[in-house]
Amino acid sequence: MADMNLTFIGTGNAFAPGGSCYNGFLVNGRFLFEAPPSAMPSLNKLGLDANELEAVIISHHHGDHFLGLPFLLLHWKYMGRTRPIRIIGPPGTSALAKDIGLKVYPGLLDIAYEIEWIEATPGQSIEAGSGLVIEPVAVEHDQRLDWSLGYLCRLNGRSFGYTGDSRICEGVLDLARRSDVLISECASVDETIDVHMNLRDDIPVVRAAMRPESQLILTHLGPGVETDGLKNTAVAHDLQSFRT
């Protein structure tokens, strides 16, 4: 089974604690999970060309996960993208992106490349490109949103999960049980926030649901989050890569 390379373009929550960039990560340099507002600066710092992306996968429509999409579209329009791109997200992703994008950058979608908008709902199996297959999983976050998703992903014989933003719930535990590597949100050390997980109460439950040899990587971080002695657990930092 081939290794996977996970590169975090940001690891902060919506308040960007300590100046951290908003959460998002790349898989093998081709698949971008989340489109945070800081996506393009981070990609540029890493020396990565956004034109090489095959797919963008979005978990939900909060601004720290979504509002980088107009800037990605702007780059693709003016910086020579010709290959198709898949943008995968909850129902309404295409309409919201077009509404915002065309208001802030008129003509943004007068383009020379193809966008395939794919609506993700639980129970699907979605081909994201180059062997990556993703399964949307319902998680529990902001009930005012129509959808909040995590993803179980398979690539080169490996499985990895991503919780998106969520409180502890069956969807998160299902991802934990089925993932060789799990990328999990951890929004605080010990604060009880109804729509997020914390290090003290929730992450040990997630870790216990995983196979002992599976790796847990924490992101979407609040201040002071550490591994707290949990085995096979790491805290991601902005622009850090993990080969798993």
Side-chain angles (χ1 to χ4, degrees):
M1 292 187 291
D3 288 346
M4 292 187 298
N5 192 59
L6 306 175
T7 301
F8 285 82
I9 62 169
T11 56
N13 61 26
F15 301 98
S20 58
C21 295
Y22 301 110
N23 168 64
F25 63 95
L26 282 162
V27 179
N28 291 353
R30 302 195 305 273
F31 306 105
L32 177 62
F33 282 75
E34 310 293 19
S38 49
M40 281 306 309
S42 292
L43 290 172
N44 288 336
K45 286 180 182 178
L46 288 162
L48 299 174
D49 185 356
N51 285 346
E52 296 301 313
L53 294 174
E54 294 186 32
V56 179
I57 300 105
I58 295 168
S59 66
H60 65 290
H61 293 154
H62 277 164
D64 54 316
H65 295 253
F66 188 84
L67 289 178
L69 197 50
F71 298 104
L72 287 164
L73 291 164
L74 189 72
H75 178 94
W76 296 331
K77 176 179 173 66
Y78 289 108
M79 297 298 171
R81 186 176 187 100
T82 56
R83 62 192 298 190
I85 184 76
R86 287 176 176 159
I87 301 177
I88 301 166
T93 295
S94 173
L96 182 60
K98 291 173 182 177
D99 180 54
I100 295 172
L102 292 173
K103 284 177 178 175
V104 297
Y105 291 117
L108 185 63
L109 295 175
D110 299 334
I111 51 177
Y113 65 94
E114 179 184 353
I115 301 174
E116 183 179 1
W117 301 93
I118 300 176
E119 290 194 345
T121 54
Q124 288 179 284
S125 180
I126 300 171
E127 298 276 351
S130 292
L132 176 64
V133 178
I134 65 173
E135 175 190 333
V137 174
V139 296
E140 297 179 11
H141 185 40
D142 186 343
Q143 297 304 307
R144 296 165 295 185
L145 295 173
D146 290 332
W147 297 89
S148 293
L149 299 174
Y151 292 99
L152 181 68
C153 309
R154 295 179 177 85
L155 180 66
N156 299 329
R158 305 285 305 284
S159 65
F160 68 94
Y162 173 50
T163 65
D165 283 10
S166 182
R167 61 187 170 196
I168 193 85
C169 67
E170 180 53 34
V172 167
L173 296 178
D174 179 50
L175 289 167
R177 289 188 286 263
R178 294 198 283 162
S179 298
D180 296 322
V181 180
L182 180 65
I183 299 100
S184 175
E185 75 122 90
C186 184
S188 71
V189 174
D190 55 12
E191 186 177 358
T192 300
I193 307 170
D194 186 51
V195 295
H196 289 292
M197 291 184 278
N198 73 33
L199 180 67
R200 181 192 65 191
D201 303 311
D202 303 315
I203 297 303
V205 178
V206 174
R207 179 66 261 183
M210 299 175 69
R211 296 185 296 272
E213 69 276 12
S214 296
Q215 186 174 9
L216 175 61
I217 302 174
L218 304 180
T219 186
H220 198 276
L221 305 168
V225 172
E226 300 292 346
T227 60
D228 208 30
L230 294 171
K231 293 184 177 180
N232 285 345
T233 301
V235 174
H237 300 283
D238 288 8
L239 310 184
Q240 183 179 12
S241 290
F242 295 83
R243 184 167 290 278
T244 64

